[in-house]
């Protein structure tokens, strides 16, 4: 048999292009700067130093100071339940129910996996790859960005050169972006009052983070400057050009005026290393490498100068925590941890590692994780020690992601560990965010932790128990290597960053919640139902096909005594039969929300769900149905997603809800689609064999298609999915077509082909070919075929 070309193909629906925006930077420098070629070490490091090793320490913490939040109002709000619906209204500071969202968290909720709202590629921004604004990281091509909760700023440059790197800003809501015309070496680790400070070998430049407009410039006090910091008053430039064993810090006002330059003698004794940190708070400026130096941000007065390490953590009150050291040479020891307060006082805490929370409730903001102990920075007293404390824990790269009144979330090595806030008891652990490559710990919307994973892309877990909420594959984030994407909370928008792509996601739910806050729901008023926290139960009663697809008639029962409401714009409902996927699609209930009566007395509604082509895999005749009623081993999985309406009038039990059609397919996570479609083809051929033997055997029919996996035809390589989609499309078009497996029929000379025939019989081949012509098929896509289990292949085919 020479199989004919494919016919009746259903091409996958093309996604609409994700818009990208761009607008020219204004008032930029017309020329690009160059990195200095003399007086500096490798990649602009101080003479005699070596470039840093690929960072094993954690990424630069995204500091969000109360004075640095631009365009985000942290209002006192009170959650009131009115008619069963939570509404947030302004309240006074003394209200016990006040729940203000925390600095650093997402302000929008992500209860279900989001779709990309926009993307910006490195080429869109005028370069080959995105890079950290921190020169100690971008020197090795590490990605990174800074945000203040309103703006996002990164750099773009070349893969092969450290020169020509330029600042890039992105609007998190629209994806509009700007690229500065002037090349820089690095920028500050914070955006303050909507500005970021950057430097090159000759100039300090202040950029408006929203537009890229240059707001001020100043001549650099040193051509050997290395790293810059920013607070609400000024930028601070650090350089090592004053001679061996010395460092200089210069203060440049945000109006571009040089205020002072002071030199500091670096302490000896710390072991060598190239990791480096430099930061500023309203009162302090700190430098940490092999020496730990903290000075006054006002006048440069030296406050602390001792051997130390590169770790610098900042607290919301403007304090700086760091790891100092004692001894010299081979006997040098890490510790203690020091906390320098804004007034210049110093608190010492025994320990060799320190981490501050990225997001913290007011009660936890004064605490640090020191050597595995949850410790007050003001009293140096520990509330508890985790079971992971000890030397290995002290020296590991631990980070505190969230600290709330219920739990403390810490990343320790390749695990997320949730500990009870009061006792330190381990509540749950997760491998979220594991894998090789440089990564950050993630962000929270109050109910979930969302983090990048170098293996599986973007994942969300529930804060209460660590269970998986949803995930997005790496391909959806522009990830091209085994490196976790960076994840940022920019207001309500979730933003991911890889070496080549910035992707923005809009919330899939309403407002975010405060981490650790209790959730309550008032009883539904009489005569109404409210959304239930657990999905309703669906029981298939009948299946049928129409020209629109597979229709599943469901009995739907609420799992809450107050009934339920389905109003999500992306509700996934998946049907399986004996563990084999039947259909799975996304349904938009937001246009016509569906009410489900109370679960008392087995009250229910009937609902017709239509799965269009591409979202179903089985036909009714392959499913267990007795006398028109579904009788298979069916299971239905429902993910309601974010709701748009929480309350509706209660329906009568037994009423029929308006039918709804899926907006598209939604394959459940972990589904093997190759096995699913292969099983569906096999089930269809098995089901059709009895019909064909009874009605078509030894009769002429019209053959519409023959395919096998791996066949290249019609511009594509066919697989199980494509073959099944073609068959189901023909089935819907002609109402009754049947599937044969060529191995099982003697009239086919080649085994392993899936063959589709129309279920009409004809007296002879001429009549079958006439039917093909009448249906508009050409001679290559429909012809006469004799179906038989006993006849030979010779003479069983009549081409037109």
């Amino acid at each position: 048999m020479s199989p004919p070309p494919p016919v009746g193909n259903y091409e996958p629906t093309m996604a609409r292009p994700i818009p990208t925006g761009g607008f020219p930077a204004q008032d930029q420098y017309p020329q690009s700067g160059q990195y200095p070629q003399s007086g500096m070490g490798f990649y602009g490091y101080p003479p005699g130093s070596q470039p840093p090793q690929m960072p094993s320490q954690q990424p630069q913490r995204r500091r969000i100071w109360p004075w640095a939040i631009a365009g985000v109002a942290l209002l006192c709000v009170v959650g009131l339940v009115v008619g069963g619906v939570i509404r947030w209204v302004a309240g006074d500071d003394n209200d016990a129910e006040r729940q203000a969202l925390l600095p650093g968290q997402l302000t929008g909720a992500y209860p279900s996996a989001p779709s990309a709202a926009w993307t910006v590629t490195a080429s869109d921004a005028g370069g080959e790859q995105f890079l950290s604004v921190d020169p100690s990281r971008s020197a090795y091509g590490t990605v990174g960005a800074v945000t203040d909760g309103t703006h996002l700023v990164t750099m773009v440059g070349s893969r092969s050169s450290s020169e020509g790197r330029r600042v890039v800003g992105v609007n998190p809501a629209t994806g509009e972006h700007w690229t500065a015309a002037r090349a820089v070496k690095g920028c500050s680790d914070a955006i303050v009052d909507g500005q970021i400070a950057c430097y090159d070998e000759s100039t300090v430049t202040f950029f408006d983070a929203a537009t890229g407009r240059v707001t001020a410039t100043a001549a650099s006090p040193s051509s050997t400057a290395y790293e810059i910091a920013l607070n609400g008053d000024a930028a601070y430039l650090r350089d090592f050009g004053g001679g061996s064993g010395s460092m200089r810090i210069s203060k440049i006002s945000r109006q571009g005026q040089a205020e002072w330059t002071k030199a500091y003698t670096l302490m000896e004794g710390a072991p060598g290393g190239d990791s480096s940190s430099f930061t500023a708070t309203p009162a302090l400026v700190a430098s940490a490498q092999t020496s730990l130096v903290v000075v006054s941000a006002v006048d440069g007065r030296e406050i602390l100068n001792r051997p130390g390490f590169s770790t610098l953590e900042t607290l919301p009150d403007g304090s700086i925590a760091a790891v100092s050291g004692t001894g010299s040479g081979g006997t040098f020891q890490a510790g203690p941890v020091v906390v320098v307060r804004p007034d210049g006082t110093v608190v010492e805490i025994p320990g060799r590692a320190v981490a501050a929370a990225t997001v913290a409730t007011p009660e936890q903001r004064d605490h640090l994780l020191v050597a595995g102990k949850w410790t007050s920075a003001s009293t140096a007293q520990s509330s508890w020690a985790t079971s992971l404390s000890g030397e290995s824990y002290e020296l590991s790269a631990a980070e505190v992601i969230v600290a709330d009144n219920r739990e403390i979330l810490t990343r320790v090595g390749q695990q997320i560990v949730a500990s009870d806030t009061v006792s330190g008891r381990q509540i749950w652990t997760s491998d979220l965010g594991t894998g090789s490559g440089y990564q950050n710990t993630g962000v929270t919307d109050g109910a979930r932790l969302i983090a990048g994973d170098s293996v599986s892309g973007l994942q969300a877990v529930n804060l209460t128990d660590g269970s998986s909420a949803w995930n997005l594959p790496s391909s959806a984030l522009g990830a091209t290597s085994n490196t976790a994407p960076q994840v940022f909370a920019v207001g309500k928008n979730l933003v991911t960053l890889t070496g080549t792509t910035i992707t923005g996601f809009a919330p899939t739910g309403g407002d975010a919640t405060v981490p650790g806050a209790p959730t309550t729901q008032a009883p539904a008023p009489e005569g109404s139902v409210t959304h239930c926290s657990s999905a309703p139960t669906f029981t298939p009663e009948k299946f049928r096909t129409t020209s629109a697809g597979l229709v599943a008639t469901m009995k739907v029962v609420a799992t809450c005594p107050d009934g339920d409401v389905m109003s999500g714009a992306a509700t996934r409902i998946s049907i399986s039969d004996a563990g084999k996927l039947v259909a799975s699609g996304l349904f938009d209930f937001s246009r016509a929300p569906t009410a489900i009566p109370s679960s008392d007395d087995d009250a229910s509604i009937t609902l017709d769900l239509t799965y269009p082509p591409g979202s179903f895999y089985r036909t009714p005749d392959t499913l267990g149905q007795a006398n028109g009623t579904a009788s298979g081993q069916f299971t239905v999985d429902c993910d309601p997603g974010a709701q748009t309406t929480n309350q509706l009038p209660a329906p009568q039990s037994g009423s029929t809800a308006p039918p709804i059609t899926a907006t598209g397919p939604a394959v459940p996570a972990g589904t093997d689609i190759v096995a699913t479609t292969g099983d569906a083809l096999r089930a269809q051929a098995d089901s059709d064999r009895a019909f064909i033997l009874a009605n078509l055997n030894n009769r002429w029919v019209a053959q519409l298609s023959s395919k096998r996996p791996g066949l290249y035809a019609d511009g594509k390589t066919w697989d199980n999915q494509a073959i099944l989609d073609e068959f189901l499309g023909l089935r819907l078009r002609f109402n009754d077509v049947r599937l044969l497996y060529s191995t099982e029929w003697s009239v086919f000379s080649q085994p392993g082909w899936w063959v589709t025939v129309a279920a009409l019989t004809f007296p002879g081949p001429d009549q079958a070919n006439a039917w093909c012509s009448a249906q508009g098929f050409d001679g290559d896509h429909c012809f006469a075929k004799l179906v038989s289990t006993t006849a030979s292949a010779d003479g069983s085919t009549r081409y037109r």
Side-chain angles (χ1 to χ4, degrees):
M1 180 188 73
S2 178
V7 63
N9 303 321
Y10 276 82
E11 296 295 341
T13 302
M14 294 298 292
R16 296 182 62 184
I18 300 171
T20 58
F23 49 91
Q26 300 174 1
D27 302 324
Q28 303 287 342
Y29 286 101
Q31 74 279 358
S32 298
Q34 299 290 325
Y35 281 105
Q37 300 300 315
S38 61
M40 297 293 287
F42 184 74
Y43 283 116
Y45 280 75
S49 71
Q50 297 296 322
Q53 306 198 354
M54 198 60 175
S56 58
Q57 73 270 23
Q58 302 308 303
Q60 177 175 303
R61 186 173 299 279
R62 301 180 298 283
R63 296 186 295 116
I64 303 181
W65 294 95
W67 47 266
I69 298 176
V72 177
L74 298 181
L75 302 177
C76 298
V77 293
V78 179
L80 299 180
V81 180
V82 181
V85 180
I86 296 177
R87 298 184 180 178
W88 297 97
V89 298
D92 60 55
D93 289 342
N94 296 322
D95 195 318
E97 295 185 32
R98 176 175 61 85
Q99 292 290 340
L101 297 181
L102 307 177
Q105 78 165 99
L106 288 158
T107 60
Y110 290 79
S112 57
S115 298
W118 53 262
T119 61
V120 175
T121 66
S123 60
D124 292 336
E128 294 180 351
Q129 69 174 25
F130 291 115
L131 301 156
S132 172
V133 298
D134 184 339
S136 68
R137 293 177 169 88
S138 61
Y140 277 88
T142 302
V143 301
V146 292
T147 180
D148 60 354
T150 301
H151 313 91
L152 184 84
V153 175
T154 182
M155 286 208 304
V156 70
S158 167
R159 292 187 177 91
S160 58
S161 173
S162 63
E163 298 185 359
R165 292 173 175 172
R166 295 181 292 163
V167 191
V168 176
V170 181
N171 182 321
T174 65
E176 294 182 325
H177 56 278
W178 55 265
T179 301
R182 186 182 184 94
V184 298
K185 291 172 64 177
C187 299
S188 57
D189 65 344
I191 300 170
V192 182
D193 295 337
Q195 294 187 56
I196 189 168
C198 305
Y199 74 100
D200 57 34
E201 73 280 3
S202 62
T203 308
V204 174
T205 306
F206 296 85
F207 293 99
D208 184 309
T211 65
R213 182 176 61 88
V214 174
T215 60
T217 62
S220 175
S222 171
S223 62
T224 59
Y226 180 64
E227 292 196 283
I228 190 169
L230 180 68
N231 64 14
D233 183 41
Y236 300 85
L237 202 62
R238 180 183 68 171
D239 78 86
F240 299 89
S244 177
S246 68
M247 176 186 70
R248 294 183 302 191
I249 297 176
S250 300
K251 179 178 181 180
I252 301 98
S253 75
R254 290 170 61 182
Q255 292 73 42
Q257 301 298 315
E259 296 195 7
W260 49 258
T261 296
K262 295 193 175 181
Y264 307 92
T265 300
L266 299 180
M267 304 299 290
E268 297 182 357
D274 298 301
S275 297
S276 174
S277 297
F278 187 55
T279 195
T281 68
L284 305 171
V285 181
S287 171
Q289 195 172 18
T290 57
S291 289
L292 173 61
V293 179
V294 182
V295 306
S296 166
V298 176
D299 56 16
R301 173 179 55 88
E302 184 176 283
I303 297 172
L304 181 74
N305 191 340
R306 62 174 69 174
F309 295 84
S310 62
T311 301
L312 288 177
E313 295 281 4
T314 53
L315 291 167
D317 68 351
S319 299
I320 291 178
V323 180
S324 66
T326 57
S328 61
T331 62
F332 188 84
Q333 297 292 323
V337 168
V338 293
V339 179
V340 183
R341 298 199 163 279
D343 63 3
T345 58
V346 178
V347 176
E348 293 191 356
I349 305 173
R352 298 187 287 175
V354 62
T358 303
V359 175
T361 54
E363 296 82 357
Q364 308 302 328
R365 288 174 186 164
D366 180 55
H367 283 68
L368 296 162
L369 190 68
V370 180
K373 300 176 181 179
W374 194 233
T375 306
S376 168
S378 57
T379 66
Q381 297 300 307
S382 304
S383 302
W384 44 259
T386 72
S387 59
L388 301 172
S389 59
E391 181 175 344
S392 62
Y393 184 82
E394 287 189 61
L395 299 179
S396 69
E399 283 191 274
V400 182
I401 313 164
V402 178
D404 61 44
N405 298 336
R406 181 180 61 206
E407 60 195 354
I408 312 297
L409 257 65
T410 310
R411 188 167 82 90
V412 183
Q414 293 189 340
Q415 270 197 327
I416 303 294
V417 179
S419 305
D420 182 271
T421 301
V422 176
S423 66
R425 175 182 60 86
Q426 184 173 301
I427 302 173
W428 55 264
T429 63
S430 172
D431 291 334
L432 180 70
T434 63
S436 61
Y438 190 67
Q439 56 194 344
N440 65 349
T441 51
V443 298
T444 183
D445 64 356
R448 286 154 290 274
L449 174 67
I450 305 169
D453 188 290
S454 61
V455 176
S456 52
L458 191 66
Q459 294 200 52
V461 297
N462 295 306
L463 292 185
T464 53
D465 58 9
S467 60
S468 176
W470 52 262
N471 69 283
L472 284 176
S474 298
S475 58
L477 313 174
T480 57
S481 63
N482 191 32
T483 302
Q486 300 275 293
V487 186
F488 301 91
V490 195
K492 68 178 182 180
N493 300 101
L494 175 69
V495 179
T496 63
L497 171 66
T498 70
T500 59
T501 308
I502 307 174
T503 307
F505 300 91
T508 57
D511 294 333
T513 58
V514 176
T519 57
T520 59
Q521 183 173 330
E526 185 176 354
S528 65
V529 293
T530 57
H531 176 62
C532 178
S533 59
S534 58
T537 300
F538 292 77
T539 303
E541 295 188 321
K542 183 172 59 177
F543 294 98
R544 70 182 191 276
T545 53
T546 68
S547 59
L550 176 70
V551 181
T553 298
M554 297 281 196
K555 176 184 176 182
V556 187
V557 179
T559 54
C560 290
D562 291 331
D564 203 352
V565 172
M566 290 193 298
S567 64
T571 299
R572 179 182 60 80
I573 303 177
S574 305
I575 308 171
S576 297
D577 179 18
K580 304 296 179 64
L581 190 63
V582 173
S584 185
L586 287 179
F587 294 85
D588 184 359
F589 284 95
S590 65
R591 299 181 181 180
T594 297
I596 307 170
S598 168
S599 60
D600 295 343
D601 302 322
D602 198 32
S604 65
I605 61 169
T606 299
L607 174 63
D608 279 354
L609 301 174
T610 298
Y611 293 86
S615 63
F616 74 98
Y617 308 93
R618 302 275 291 276
T619 58
D621 48 311
T622 69
L623 303 170
Q625 296 199 112
N627 300 319
T629 300
S631 60
Q633 302 176 36
F634 296 108
T635 56
V636 179
D637 178 41
C638 174
D639 179 2
Q643 301 298 295
T644 58
T645 299
N646 288 323
Q647 180 182 321
L648 289 173
Q652 290 186 350
S653 179
S655 60
T656 300
I660 185 170
T661 299
T663 58
V667 178
T671 299
D672 185 340
I673 199 64
V674 175
T676 294
T677 51
D679 290 342
L681 289 168
R682 185 65 266 172
Q684 188 67 51
D686 289 344
S687 175
D688 285 344
R689 181 175 175 82
F691 176 89
I692 297 171
L693 287 172
N695 300 281
L696 308 183
N697 196 29
N698 296 310
R699 306 288 295 273
W700 285 94
V701 298
Q703 179 176 315
L704 304 178
S705 173
S706 58
K707 302 291 188 308
R708 67 178 178 187
L711 171 70
Y712 182 81
D714 217 16
K716 67 178 181 181
T717 300
W718 289 75
D719 57 14
N720 287 343
Q721 174 83 67
I723 296 169
L724 180 64
D725 285 347
E726 180 194 45
F727 169 80
L728 294 174
L730 290 168
R731 178 70 172 259
L732 297 183
R733 176 181 174 184
F734 293 109
N735 189 38
D736 196 5
V737 299
R738 299 291 168 162
L739 187 69
L740 304 84
Y741 191 53
S742 66
T743 305
E744 301 166 349
W745 299 86
S746 61
V747 290
F748 298 103
S749 59
Q750 296 184 27
W753 290 75
W754 299 105
V755 181
T756 302
V757 299
L760 297 172
T761 61
F762 302 94
D766 293 339
Q767 292 84 349
N769 280 330
W771 181 88
C772 289
S773 298
Q775 302 305 317
F777 290 116
D778 62 31
D780 292 330
H781 290 73
C782 182
F783 51 82
K785 181 67 182 179
L786 178 69
V787 174
S788 177
T789 56
T790 56
S792 69
D794 296 338
S796 66
T797 303
R798 177 75 61 85
Y799 295 104
R800 290 156 58 195

